[in-house]
Amino acid sequence: GLLSQVAQAGLLSKAQASGISLTKLEPLLALAAGNKDVMILVESAGPELLPILPTVVEIAPGALPLLGAAIQLSPAALQVAGLASLAAAAGAVYLIPDDTVVEVATQTLAVGALGAAAGASFVGSAVLGKLTA
């Protein structure tokens, strides 16, 4: 059950070392109980990442299942996604004309969003590489 997984993961010890109370972990544990991928994410969280997890649950609970699904991808797949995002950003600059302020703003928005996606993909790839190694 969930309590066995929490004990095996050493989650409470990690939380205590990070200064997090059980009360703050309750929403995260409730979410993890219904989604095994989220439990994997919680288990892999180190002491430096654990303090932000309760905040993530409060701010964006819908993102946790997405993060749980993302950890099932291989690091190589995330690297390919990062490269594709960079290529798409370059394509946006090349294909979107820059004749008006609106078009320049569109280019800027596209490059910003795709650049952030690329960065997240590369960081995610590095983190997953360390977790799976």
Side-chain angles (χ1 to χ4, degrees):
L2 178 64
L3 292 178
S4 299
Q5 289 178 322
V6 168
Q8 288 173 346
L11 182 61
L12 297 178
S13 300
K14 288 180 186 178
Q16 186 177 17
S18 299
I20 297 176
S21 68
L22 184 58
T23 306
K24 288 184 179 177
L25 281 180
E26 271 185 285
L28 184 61
L29 293 175
L31 186 62
N35 189 332
K36 71 178 181 106
D37 295 331
V38 173
M39 189 62 193
I40 293 169
L41 194 68
V42 171
E43 287 176 358
S44 63
E48 64 281 347
L49 190 62
L50 201 55
I52 67 166
L53 287 178
T55 305
V56 170
V57 170
E58 290 174 17
I59 294 173
L64 286 174
L66 182 62
L67 289 173
I71 64 172
Q72 293 179 352
L73 296 173
S74 71
L78 285 175
Q79 287 177 343
V80 169
L83 291 173
S85 291
L86 289 177
V93 170
Y94 181 74
L95 294 173
I96 299 171
D98 52 3
D99 298 331
T100 67
V101 173
V102 173
E103 291 171 339
V104 171
T106 303
Q107 280 183 346
T108 304
L109 180 65
V111 169
L114 292 167
S121 294
F122 291 133
V123 168
S125 172
V127 169
L128 280 178
K130 288 181 182 181
L131 290 175
T132 57

